[in-house]
Amino acid sequence: ARVITDRVRAEAELREREEQLRIIFNEHRDLQSIIRVEPDGRFVSVAFNRAYVDYARQIIPDPNDFLERGRDEFLRALGVPENEVKRAQGYWREVAANKTPARSEIVYSFDAGRRREIGDITIVPILNTGGGCTHLLWTGHFITEQRRAEEELRKRERELAEAQSIGHVGSWTWDVEANTLVWSDQMFRILGFEAQQFQPTLEAFLDRVPPDERERVERVTWADYAARTSTDIEHRIVRPDGCERFVHTRSLIQMDAA
């Protein structure tokens, strides 16, 4: 009787853990699904969480129609291009074979290619007691807006670099506390260097100021910093090739919240 009681208790605990996992799976905010790894190498969808179902219903009537069917069929129904389907299958095989998680990006195409979404995908292997990979836990979320923001930032940086080159204007940022500087490409060129030739420092800039003006430039710079006012100063610089130039330097001090 004790053996039966222990077995019943173990089965009840197992059901409770399974229910807890089901709740966690379904309440996860990211898209998640479980993929079965078949002995013949095929991948079959066996479960979608609620977030995945809600998302997929924007494209196909009932995602659950694709349960117990090849995962590749499901991706094609979502509008994933064939080359991305093949690439995804390669990642699944790699995860199943190596039994280690993998992360990748996948492109979804909607409205006959007029709209694209980029998914950040993580695949985690699920192993049986013998150490074999029987299932994959697929988790994904969209990073389309992030990628668009990054591309917009790169575009603005290119436009700024072009404008500075045309106007012969350089810019720099100096973190006084960390004593780190960032120079634009044109700032390097003004001082006679190749763009991003080295890690800029305050000393590297002051080295280009002639000795008879260096003390004034340093004094004005630190005085304006102490007073928390902007710097506006004209002075000479000497480039590495010996060429002397006059520059007009303006700076704006920004304070952190502290």
Side-chain angles (χ1 to χ4, degrees):
R2 180 176 179 180
V3 173
I4 295 176
T5 302
D6 289 343
R7 187 179 66 190
V8 171
R9 183 183 299 112
E11 291 173 348
E13 291 175 351
L14 178 60
R15 285 194 298 271
E16 182 179 355
R17 286 197 295 270
E18 289 176 343
E19 179 62 17
Q20 291 171 345
L21 290 174
R22 187 189 66 79
I23 293 173
I24 294 172
F25 177 71
N26 272 318
E27 296 303 319
H28 204 290
R29 296 179 62 181
D30 286 340
L31 280 59
Q32 284 194 319
S33 67
I34 297 175
I35 304 170
R36 186 171 64 243
V37 181
E38 297 288 0
D40 60 5
R42 292 184 305 114
F43 299 93
V44 176
S45 297
V46 296
F48 302 123
N49 74 343
R50 185 176 292 111
Y52 208 153
V53 170
D54 291 343
Y55 159 75
R57 277 178 175 159
Q58 302 175 60
I59 307 165
I60 53 181
D62 189 357
N64 291 320
D65 287 344
F66 288 86
L67 293 178
E68 295 301 329
R69 292 170 60 180
R71 181 72 173 191
D72 56 324
E73 295 182 54
F74 179 63
L75 292 184
R76 293 187 184 96
L78 290 179
V80 177
E82 188 63 30
N83 65 310
E84 292 288 341
V85 173
K86 299 297 184 184
R87 191 164 69 92
Q89 289 176 315
Y91 276 111
W92 305 337
R93 293 190 186 97
E94 181 180 333
V95 172
N98 296 337
K99 303 174 187 177
T100 56
R103 185 176 179 180
S104 65
E105 292 182 5
I106 189 169
V107 178
Y108 296 82
S109 180
F110 308 112
D111 301 330
R114 290 187 294 272
R115 182 166 67 92
R116 296 168 70 251
E117 294 283 359
I118 303 173
D120 182 9
I121 311 301
T122 301
I123 310 289
V124 177
I126 300 175
L127 310 182
N128 59 19
T129 55
C133 180
T134 59
H135 294 78
L136 303 174
L137 175 62
W138 184 102
T139 303
H141 64 275
F142 290 113
I143 55 174
T144 310
E145 292 305 317
Q146 175 185 332
R147 287 290 180 267
R148 286 173 181 163
E150 291 171 352
E151 179 55 36
E152 182 64 24
L153 177 60
R154 286 192 291 268
K155 178 183 176 183
R156 291 179 183 273
E157 289 175 342
R158 290 193 298 269
E159 291 173 345
L160 175 61
E162 183 177 356
Q164 288 190 346
S165 178
I166 293 172
H168 301 289
V169 176
S171 62
W172 51 269
T173 302
W174 178 23
D175 185 328
V176 178
E177 183 176 344
N179 194 26
T180 57
L181 282 86
V182 176
W183 292 353
S184 69
D185 289 351
Q186 190 60 22
M187 183 69 180
F188 277 93
R189 296 187 187 105
I190 288 172
L191 295 175
F193 300 106
E194 294 294 328
Q196 306 304 323
Q197 183 175 336
F198 57 88
Q199 175 60 46
T201 64
L202 179 61
E203 193 66 24
F205 171 75
L206 293 174
D207 283 345
R208 306 269 57 88
V209 180
D212 61 323
E213 290 207 66
R214 176 165 174 161
E215 186 277 333
R216 179 175 66 91
V217 172
E218 286 192 83
R219 174 168 44 79
V220 171
T221 299
W222 285 111
D224 288 342
Y225 172 71
R228 303 299 190 260
T229 59
S230 299
T231 297
D232 194 325
I233 184 174
E234 292 184 359
H235 60 86
R236 291 172 296 139
I237 62 167
V238 179
R239 293 154 60 112
D241 61 3
C243 180
E244 188 175 274
R245 298 287 179 89
F246 283 86
V247 296
H248 183 189
T249 302
R250 299 179 63 185
S251 65
L252 176 66
I253 294 178
Q254 294 181 330
M255 308 298 293
D256 58 26

